[in-house]
Amino acid sequence: MTISLRNRRSWAAATATALALASLAALGGTATPASASGRAATSGPATATTATALAPASAAALKPASPAASASPASGDPAAPAALTLPRPTGPYATGRDTLFLTDHERADPWVPAAGARQLLVSLHYPARPGSGSGPAPYMPEEEARLMLAQRGLDDPEWPGLVAATGTFSRTDARPAPGRFPLVLLSPGFGTPRATLTGLAEELASRGYVVATADHPYESTGTELPDGRVLTCAACDEVAAQPDDAGRRKVLAAVSAGRAADFSFLLDRLTGPRPAWRHARTIDARRVGMAGHSIGGNAAASTMAADRRVDAGVNMDGMFFDPVAARGLDRRPFLMLGTDPGHAPGAGDTSWDEGWARLDGFKRWLTVRDSGHFTFTDTPSIGEQLGIVDPDAPLSAARSTTITRAYVTAFFDRSLRGRAARLLDGPTPAHPEVLFQRP
């Protein structure tokens, strides 16, 4: 992986950033994870059996910033980064957002048992009445942003505040729109905060879905609890401590299976007889889907195998460390949406070939040209606004956003609403980057 940086201070800083981003892309579904401190772990190189190999950039491959661009911008300088914003949702509904902090008293935390019962932080995006609510929902806490950026080798002191303040299109305390809506569960990548799936959550909510995105404590670079404590990535340390690839894969399979337990608990708290969310009446519990990025995509399959209430699943560029159940998924639909060629048939991640053979319902295997591991998250949009470019994944932020939204929404419209989804029938001139794989 190589990157080019605009408005950065030095070539040396760019080189360090490229190396850190290569490590993070590996963590997200491919190689050595971060430590709980947010620094790249050094447990040894990952092998191709862990995932698609990603070679760190060489200094020669990087283009240094121009002297003018390298200068640190002064306050008020036109070169200073402007306020960041997510892409605007395209659906007919306004969107609201709530946050839940839940405790599962029947399970100890799997990574830090001394911490007590398993806890979850959940963002709920939902169709809202226009004009209701207070201010825009915040993107993420600044300390979470700092830890995430530090893990990626991005240490500009201005950036955590900028990223944390990224503009969203959901409002807090908004009144829900009338009606009942399908529920979509979202799970982020390993080591990645739930906020990085906000753009997709807002899009789905604007199109008439309730969306519950979970942070899984001790599986992210940073999760800030309501009392101000910040939990770092103990699970990352557990992966890094393994002596070999088989050990790392075993721990990552446990991550995916553990998330299935998290989401079964969350479904109980959202759709059970005593729901935890004040607007739970807006959820149609008969129509539930789940999508995830990286290991969160693996967790979608793990959750479907463990919980029959989930009717459809999407894996966005995640290796199946926890394999698709040998018995299949009871003919429930599943979408695999990944990078090309990394997740093409016969490419580095053979778990997709194996998973495809086991999927026994409606299924699609799509890959996207010029994409990267984080194409399916908010990263391209935020990175592009900060001047971060990865030449190995040249798909623009606009195209990354459009493709992810279009295909994930079409899949859930078909699977949960019974709507026609011609987009899933085959290639289309509107999306020439999307390849339909038919192994």
Side-chain angles (χ1 to χ4, degrees), residues 284-340:
D284 182 350
R286 299 167 301 173
R287 297 182 290 172
V288 179
M290 180 170 171
H293 170 245
S294 194
I295 207 162
N298 187 179
S302 297
T303 304
M304 290 179 70
D307 197 320
R308 190 63 184 81
R309 291 175 292 181
V310 182
D311 301 301
V314 179
N315 179 352
M316 297 183 291
D317 212 54
M319 186 176 196
F320 291 106
F321 292 103
D322 183 27
V324 175
R327 68 178 188 279
L329 296 176
D330 301 319
R331 303 190 64 80
R332 286 169 287 171
F334 202 89
L335 168 66
M336 304 194 315
L337 177 65
T339 52
D340 189 271

Side-chain angles (χ1 to χ4, degrees), residues 13 33 41 63 71 88 96 119 127 147 197 243 245 267 273 280 284 290 315 329 362 379 383 394 412 419:
K63 297 179 180 179
R88 182 181 294 276
Q119 296 177 315
L147 289 167
L197 294 177
D245 186 65
L267 276 173
D284 182 350
M290 180 170 171
N315 179 352
L329 296 176
F362 174 88
T379 298
F412 284 130
R419 295 179 178 174

Side-chain angles (χ1 to χ4, degrees), residues 256-281:
S256 186
R259 291 190 179 193
D262 288 345
F263 279 107
S264 286
F265 164 70
L266 178 57
L267 276 173
D268 291 342
R269 300 300 288 124
L270 291 178
T271 65
R274 298 174 62 186
W277 184 38
R278 58 180 173 166
H279 300 313
R281 66 185 182 279

Side-chain angles (χ1 to χ4, degrees), residues 32-339:
T32 304
S35 70
S37 65
R39 294 185 294 273
T42 55
S43 63
T47 69
T49 60
T50 299
T52 307
L54 291 176
S58 66
L62 291 169
K63 297 179 180 179
S66 67
S70 297
S72 178
S75 178
D77 189 310
L84 310 181
T85 185
L86 296 178
R88 182 181 294 276
T90 64
Y93 289 98
T95 61
R97 200 200 76 184
D98 276 349
T99 303
L100 291 181
F101 181 50
L102 303 174
T103 301
D104 184 353
H105 295 285
E106 296 185 3
R107 286 192 300 147
D109 188 274
W111 309 113
V112 184
R118 181 66 161 170
Q119 296 177 315
L120 295 180
L121 265 171
V122 181
S123 294
L124 283 147
H125 290 84
Y126 55 94
R129 294 178 184 268
S132 66
S134 52
Y139 185 64
M140 71 187 327
E142 186 167 341
E143 181 62 9
E144 286 189 11
R146 186 190 69 79
L147 289 167
M148 180 181 71
L149 291 167
Q151 197 281 334
R152 302 183 187 205
L154 302 172
D155 58 358
D156 189 308
E158 297 179 1
W159 284 8
L162 283 169
V163 172
T166 297
T168 70
F169 290 90
S170 298
R171 304 187 75 83
T172 58
D173 298 319
R175 289 182 295 143
R180 301 183 71 206
F181 305 98
L183 173 65
V184 173
L185 311 172
L186 291 182
S187 186
F190 188 51
T192 306
R194 74 187 189 281
T196 57
L197 294 177
T198 299
L200 178 58
E202 289 191 330
E203 175 69 11
L204 288 167
S206 80
R207 291 182 170 273
Y209 292 88
V210 174
V211 185
T213 312
D215 252 334
H216 307 272
Y218 300 110
E219 297 176 20
S220 170
T221 50
T223 302
E224 185 172 302
L225 303 184
D227 63 8
R229 287 181 298 141
V230 178
L231 309 181
T232 53
C233 196
C236 299
D237 289 343
E238 183 68 20
V239 174
Q242 300 306 306
D244 53 27
D245 186 65
R248 289 188 286 271
R249 290 172 61 96
K250 184 176 180 180
V251 175
L252 290 166
V255 170
S256 186
R259 291 190 179 193
D262 288 345
F263 279 107
S264 286
F265 164 70
L266 178 57
L267 276 173
D268 291 342
R269 300 300 288 124
L270 291 178
T271 65
R274 298 174 62 186
W277 184 38
R278 58 180 173 166
H279 300 313
R281 66 185 182 279
T282 64
I283 295 174
D284 182 350
R286 299 167 301 173
R287 297 182 290 172
V288 179
M290 180 170 171
H293 170 245
S294 194
I295 207 162
N298 187 179
S302 297
T303 304
M304 290 179 70
D307 197 320
R308 190 63 184 81
R309 291 175 292 181
V310 182
D311 301 301
V314 179
N315 179 352
M316 297 183 291
D317 212 54
M319 186 176 196
F320 291 106
F321 292 103
D322 183 27
V324 175
R327 68 178 188 279
L329 296 176
D330 301 319
R331 303 190 64 80
R332 286 169 287 171
F334 202 89
L335 168 66
M336 304 194 315
L337 177 65
T339 52

